[in-house]
Amino acid sequence: MRKLWIGFAAVVLASFAALIWVGTEIYQKQPPIPDRVLIRETGEVLFDKTTIEQGQNVWESIGGMEVGSIWGHGSYVAPDWTADWIHREAEFLLNHWAERAYKMSFDSLGIENKGALQARLVAAIRTNTFDPKTRVLWLSKDRALAIAKNTAYYSALFSKGHEQYAIPEGALTDREKLRKLNAFLFWTSWAASTNRPDKAYTYTSNWPHEPLIENTITPDAQLWSGFSVVLLLLFIAILVYYYLKNHEKGEALLKRETDPLSSLKLHPSQRAVLKYFVVISLLIFLQIVLGIITVHYTVEGQAFFGFELAEYLPYSVSRTWHTQLAVFWIAATWLATGLFLAPMISEREMKYQVLGINFLFVALLVIVLGSMLGEWLGIHQFFDATTNFFFGHQGFEYMDLGRFWQILLAVGLVLWMLMVGRHIVFAIRKKNDDKHLLTILLIAVMAIGMFFFSGLMYGENSSLPVINYWRWWLVHLWVEGFFEVFATVVIAYLFSRMKIVSVKTAGKTAIASATIFLAGGIIGTLHHLYYSGTPVQAIALGATFSALEVVPLTLMGFEIREHWQVLKSNAWIQRYKWPIFFFMAVAFWNMLGAGVFGFLINPPIALYYIQGLNTTAVHAHTALFGVYGMLGMGFILICLRLYSRDVWNEKLVKRAFWLLNIGLLLMVLLSLLPIGIIQTYVSIHEGYAHARDASLLYSDEVQVLKWLRMIGDIVFSLGIVYYCWFVVKTTYNALRSR
């Protein structure tokens, strides 16, 4: 065990050292925000630093990443504003020069004249004219005309609305705010189209793909993509060999004829936790309703089967609530599981545990409802910039809630950490065989409590690269990293208590699994940041280590087989059949959603073309719900099974299980994946802006695929109804019977 702990500590320390080093590089080498943007011929001031920074605040207030995307991060209905701005500016300049020189449009010119003007465009756009000494960005008068043209276009778009982009009329009408928003959009496009000093690639490593200005995939991205694939194959081979050689060496257990948990002592705090499951079921149901509304906006734009819903619930709000509720209910499920298992681990209930559980329950309701109201008010422009930052909409996907609600949630997580941690510490002090298993569980609990604070590491006026860096610390490390370690250890602990595996084997497996996952997962955070204004180190390390995240997922098939054998060989374990079935579904979606579909977009060369397309939505749905959602649902069922002595109506949960899994698969295969493949083809051949354009997304072929999603959505939604009804009914019966 000592070697395992040394390996775990070495991996964590070395990985965070690398992640923090890249973070310092991001701070130092991020795209500069000029103090002034001046026209070279006249000296006229176009924008200044304050205008650009406040423009970012305006963008955040209208929904930010929930209304289109910036640098590929955000929603999929509206365009990526960076790519769209670059393409429109390039087309304007080419046509402006063609009309002035040849009295005809650019498309009407001959090949030689086209080539000459495009070479001029590349030189004009990609040459870095920022002076680091005076912090002035110099632009030509022609580019100023292009900026004015784009400013007029986007001002009209956001004030008058755009049905195909699901932007309602009056989304933003204040002229000063529109001017600032355009300044910010210009800056994001400038950083993505202008070369870094003394480099042949832009601040975003030539993202987005735009043939007009020769924004193409860099050699670094191609090199590290190939290297990541080679590493993936190598480590899969090594891990499979290790697994096949060693997985039978665990301690053999006698086949038990009775349930080891049948005499489990229950405590008042565990009863107090059950109300969480009712509220979580309501949140799941509400999230799915909002998902139906959100996806329908992609076919009608402003309406829901003819009803002008966008007047009351615009797309930016419905998508915000849909994605945020997913994080809320999944996290709440896992936290409730920790509270439920705490007295089971220590075999006693600590003082004020019930009071703490009830306090956290009220706090959860306040944070969920308060943040949702604040986001609605923020998007409807009821707040000024600072008030919106604290109480409204921060504008960043999965981190939309205002800073005030973030702080409240952070305080609640610390309280949860203390409430669960003290039970684990008490159990560790007994120095039983499970001390190693409980120690890794304690580390996961502490990480969950503390790493949420990474989301507080940026301020109201922090730059976009810095915000994205810390945002992915939260979304990737907190949710995908330490919550997954927590889940792995909890399942290992439960199986050890059920005598499916020995305590010693469970401890070794938990530590080894955490080490393997974090070896790729911590530095793998950088795969979200390839093209976010970050230096090339993010591509090198992110590509290399994110490939390793997929390696443990290749063994899930073995785990499914072993769980299935356990189910068949022990009669009493049929009592836990459906919780284990949900854990088996987690293994399947871990392999497919996180593994196959995750690696589909992980290599830099893939993400360069398909970031922010429906291929991203494929991974998001199959990983977030397929893995973390199914896991949360399984946790609810295992807690209810441990508490309830009733015989379950298995028809409800059986229907829920199969409808959820079949529906999710149909949703992806019939709609999201085919649309993503079409977009990918267009992105590679014509440029990224074309792949996000309404002319493609509202083409007849894509519209048919959008409507086909209804098949999977209906099946999936029925599964949600069955599951939520089963949980509410079972929870009610459990409370009444005890």
Side-chain angles (χ1 to χ4, degrees), residues 234-254:
L234 173 64
F235 279 96
I236 285 177
I238 292 173
L239 193 62
V240 168
Y241 171 78
Y242 177 83
Y243 181 86
L244 293 176
K245 182 179 179 181
N246 294 284
H247 84 289
E248 299 290 350
K249 293 184 178 180
E251 295 178 19
L253 297 175
L254 297 175

Side-chain angles (χ1 to χ4, degrees), residues 26 72 123 156 216 230 257 310 330 339 362 402 421 483 487 650 672 714:
I26 290 173
T216 56
V230 172
E257 300 297 331
I330 292 172
L339 293 170
V362 174
F483 262 119
E650 292 198 6
L672 289 175
I714 290 171

Side-chain angles (χ1 to χ4, degrees), residues 159-397:
S159 59
K160 297 179 181 179
H162 194 298
E163 182 174 353
Q164 292 180 326
Y165 296 163
I167 298 175
E169 183 178 356
L172 190 65
T173 57
D174 185 285
R175 289 188 177 182
E176 183 61 19
K177 287 184 177 180
L178 286 167
R179 187 179 74 87
K180 292 175 179 177
L181 174 62
N182 278 284
F184 172 67
L185 296 182
F186 158 75
W187 176 79
T188 67
S189 72
W190 173 79
S193 58
T194 297
N195 286 348
R196 286 181 177 270
D198 302 320
K199 301 293 183 183
Y201 52 84
T202 71
Y203 288 99
T204 58
S205 293
N206 284 1
W207 192 94
H209 179 219
E210 178 51 72
L212 290 178
I213 63 169
E214 296 183 1
N215 250 17
T216 56
I217 187 77
T218 64
D220 287 317
Q222 296 179 64
L223 171 67
W224 291 110
S225 296
F227 188 60
S228 70
V229 173
V230 172
L231 276 184
L232 173 66
L233 297 175
L234 173 64
F235 279 96
I236 285 177
I238 292 173
L239 193 62
V240 168
Y241 171 78
Y242 177 83
Y243 181 86
L244 293 176
K245 182 179 179 181
N246 294 284
H247 84 289
E248 299 290 350
K249 293 184 178 180
E251 295 178 19
L253 297 175
L254 297 175
K255 182 177 178 180
R256 296 184 61 89
E257 300 297 331
T258 58
D259 182 359
L261 299 178
S262 59
S263 60
L264 180 68
K265 181 182 179 182
L266 297 172
H267 300 270
S269 65
Q270 291 172 304
R271 178 184 177 87
V273 170
L274 295 187
K275 58 180 171 286
Y276 281 76
F277 302 148
V278 175
V279 170
I280 289 169
S281 297
L282 296 176
L283 294 180
I284 295 172
F285 182 78
L286 178 59
Q287 190 227 343
I288 297 308
V289 171
L290 289 165
I292 293 170
I293 293 171
T294 300
V295 75
H296 194 77
Y297 277 135
T298 66
V299 293
E300 278 197 79
Q302 301 294 328
F304 187 75
F305 293 102
F307 177 70
E308 294 297 323
L309 185 62
E311 294 181 17
Y312 314 97
L313 187 68
Y315 172 86
S316 55
V317 175
S318 69
R319 190 178 190 275
T320 296
W321 289 353
H322 175 65
T323 55
Q324 182 173 289
L325 283 175
V327 176
F328 273 148
W329 77 255
I330 292 172
T333 299
W334 295 15
L335 298 178
T337 300
L339 293 170
F340 185 91
L341 296 180
M344 177 177 166
I345 292 170
S346 63
E347 297 182 343
R348 59 168 291 182
E349 186 171 284
M350 300 293 181
K351 196 173 183 181
Y352 303 122
Q353 188 77 357
V354 174
L355 178 63
I357 289 171
N358 292 333
F359 176 80
L360 287 177
F361 179 76
V362 174
L364 172 66
L365 294 178
V366 170
I367 292 169
V368 171
L369 297 177
S371 63
M372 291 175 69
L373 176 61
E375 286 152 355
W376 189 91
L377 292 171
I379 286 175
H380 284 85
Q381 302 298 299
F382 283 97
F383 297 143
D384 60 31
T386 301
T387 306
N388 179 70
F389 176 74
F390 279 96
F391 297 99
H393 199 298
Q394 283 198 49
F396 299 103
E397 197 174 28

Side-chain angles (χ1 to χ4, degrees), residues 16 103 123 128 193 267 324 366 380 385 583 610 620 634 721:
F16 273 111
K103 307 300 181 183
N128 195 331
S193 58
H267 300 270
Q324 182 173 289
V366 170
H380 284 85
F583 296 150
I610 65 180
V721 171

Side-chain angles (χ1 to χ4, degrees), residues 333-335 337-339 341 416 420 424 440-441 444-445 448 481-492 631 635:
T333 299
W334 295 15
L335 298 178
T337 300
L339 293 170
L341 296 180
W416 173 85
V420 176
I424 300 174
I440 192 70
L441 178 60
V445 167
I448 290 171
F482 294 107
F483 262 119
E484 185 148 337
V485 172
F486 171 78
T488 301
V489 180
V490 165
I491 292 174
L631 193 54
F635 279 151

